[in-house]
Amino acid sequence: MAEDQEEERPELFPFRGIHMVHYFTDNWDQVEAFQARPDDVVVASYPKTGTTWVSQIVDLMYCLDDPSRVHRAPIYERVPFLEMSKTEDFEAGTTILDATPSPRLIKTHLPVQLIPQSFWDNNCKIIYTARNAKDTAVSYFHFSRMNKIQSRAGTWPTFLEEFINGEMVFGSWYDHVRGWWDKKESQPILYLLYEDLKENLPREIDKICRFLGRELSVADKQKVVSQTSFDVMKSSPMANYSTCSAMDHKVSPFMRKGQVGDWKNHFTVVQNERFDEDYKRKMEGTTLMFRTDI
Ligand code: A3P
């Protein structure tokens, strides 16, 4: 039996064309009316695609004069989660952000069509990170098992079907990654891929620097690379979510494997064939390409 069968879990329900749990809609009036500032930097993504990693990279870039500041608070306070409502662990994202001095770093998992208008009006820079669908599905499954604010994970086969059908918190992966890919034509959006970060982190850090108009010395870049490695982040309570009471790291750690290709340990041959066939249909016509292996 799945670990989450016994405990209270929020229901998934349709919300503005996607699926959500109440934790991300309870504060919706404030989210919709949120006042962005021109120097806000947004770290946007579908869940489980490297959000925490990119958040840590950008936060470090902003405090290189004193890199120990990266340990000043948990990642969800340093890069507040816009649509998160108030819970045992979190103040509402909008409440924290309203009280945060500029320049602010802001995390969101919203699909592009639900981003508050004021981000577009202010031409805010947005770093979007995407990850191949198979590894995202696996990571999301284990995350749903360990995180009580997620809807029930169920079993891997049922979870995978729901992923394919877009019945996930924050909606369909396919629509999410495509929506943001198209939007980058008209807005300042840097579109990163988890697989590229894994392949060559210094190169991707250069891309982020160029996008944000920052220059890093060789020594500073080295600091960012070493401080954002999987092992360093996994062992840091300020990056690994061990301070978050909704998450049971005994079920599955937040920093789980951090690999490309772990999907091969989960998909059966039949699941893989069905997934690939459906994927072709859903991703037809886009120039967006992912690697499921590096
Ligand atoms: P796995 O579950 O595959 O291990 P998010 O932050 O968007 O929730 O994404 C979490 C995923 O990113 C997890 O994937 C986690 O291990 C991985 N991750 C986080 N920090 C990482 C890092 N520094 N290097 C590689 N992967 C990282």
Side-chain angles (χ1 to χ4, degrees), residues 7-288:
E7 57 188 37
E8 271 293 290
R9 289 295 186 113
E11 289 299 322
L12 202 58
F13 61 90
F15 178 80
R16 308 217 171 186
I18 61 168
H19 283 80
M20 280 293 219
V21 288
H22 72 88
Y23 291 107
F24 306 112
T25 61
D26 282 351
N27 196 34
W28 193 254
D29 288 349
Q30 281 72 22
V31 172
E32 208 166 27
F34 184 74
Q35 285 308 300
R37 302 174 195 156
D39 57 357
D40 286 340
V41 172
V42 181
V43 176
S45 58
Y46 190 77
K48 311 320 294 172
T49 58
T51 328
T52 314
W53 193 5
V54 173
S55 299
Q56 183 83 346
I57 292 170
V58 179
D59 186 40
L60 247 172
M61 281 182 183
Y62 273 68
C63 59
L64 275 169
D65 47 327
D66 177 10
S68 65
R69 287 185 61 240
V70 83
H71 305 296
R72 69 193 181 279
I75 191 72
Y76 47 83
E77 288 177 19
R78 289 182 280 128
V79 186
F81 191 178
L82 176 69
E83 57 272 21
M84 187 73 215
S85 59
K86 187 172 168 48
T87 66
E88 225 175 284
D89 292 307
F90 306 97
E91 204 32 87
T94 55
T95 309
I96 308 177
L97 286 163
D98 285 343
T100 301
S102 295
R104 301 181 295 189
L105 305 178
I106 304 176
K107 164 183 164 178
T108 183
H109 285 319
L110 291 174
V112 73
Q113 71 276 14
L114 295 186
I115 290 293
Q117 181 59 35
S118 139
F119 286 104
W120 308 128
D121 294 344
N122 282 285
N123 226 20
C124 295
K125 289 188 174 168
I126 303 180
I127 303 175
Y128 184 82
T129 311
R131 183 182 195 181
N132 81 73
K134 292 178 186 177
D135 283 327
T136 301
V138 167
S139 182
Y140 211 170
F141 172 62
H142 291 294
F143 182 67
S144 300
R145 290 170 52 228
M146 63 83 84
N147 185 1
K148 293 189 191 73
I149 73 168
Q150 285 290 133
S151 55
R152 214 171 287 294
T155 62
W156 166 243
T158 58
F159 187 90
L160 185 60
E161 272 311 301
E162 287 161 8
F163 183 92
I164 289 172
N165 296 330
E167 292 157 11
M168 297 277 110
V169 184
F170 292 105
S172 151
W173 174 92
Y174 311 86
D175 294 345
H176 209 285
V177 297
R178 291 190 68 154
W180 279 98
W181 182 251
D182 294 343
K183 191 74 173 180
K184 75 178 172 36
E185 299 309 318
S186 57
Q187 294 290 334
I189 296 169
L190 175 68
Y191 203 104
L192 298 176
L193 300 178
Y194 180 92
E195 294 74 26
D196 291 348
L197 290 160
K198 283 292 294 186
E199 181 181 65
N200 190 336
L201 187 55
R203 179 191 64 205
E204 299 305 301
I205 288 174
D206 283 343
K207 276 189 202 165
I208 297 173
C209 283
R210 273 198 299 277
F211 179 68
L212 296 179
R214 296 199 153 229
E215 267 189 47
L216 293 190
S217 66
V218 173
D220 280 346
K221 190 163 127 188
Q222 190 44 46
K223 259 183 234 162
V224 178
V225 170
S226 62
Q227 288 300 304
T228 60
S229 74
F230 181 77
D231 291 340
V232 168
M233 286 181 62
K234 188 178 171 75
S235 64
S236 166
M238 294 299 124
N240 66 16
Y241 279 91
S242 57
T243 49
C244 182
S245 71
M247 298 185 188
D248 186 345
H249 297 259
K250 288 195 291 305
V251 173
S252 178
F254 182 91
M255 296 286 169
R256 197 181 56 90
K257 287 198 177 169
Q259 290 170 2
V260 179
D262 185 42
W263 63 272
K264 290 177 199 158
N265 298 316
H266 292 75
F267 281 64
T268 64
V269 171
V270 172
Q271 283 170 344
N272 195 36
E273 283 170 4
R274 146 129 180 79
F275 194 91
D276 284 347
E277 190 234 330
D278 175 78
Y279 187 94
K280 254 192 233 134
R281 245 179 293 123
K282 292 206 170 92
M283 297 300 277
E284 204 181 334
T286 180
T287 51
L288 174 58

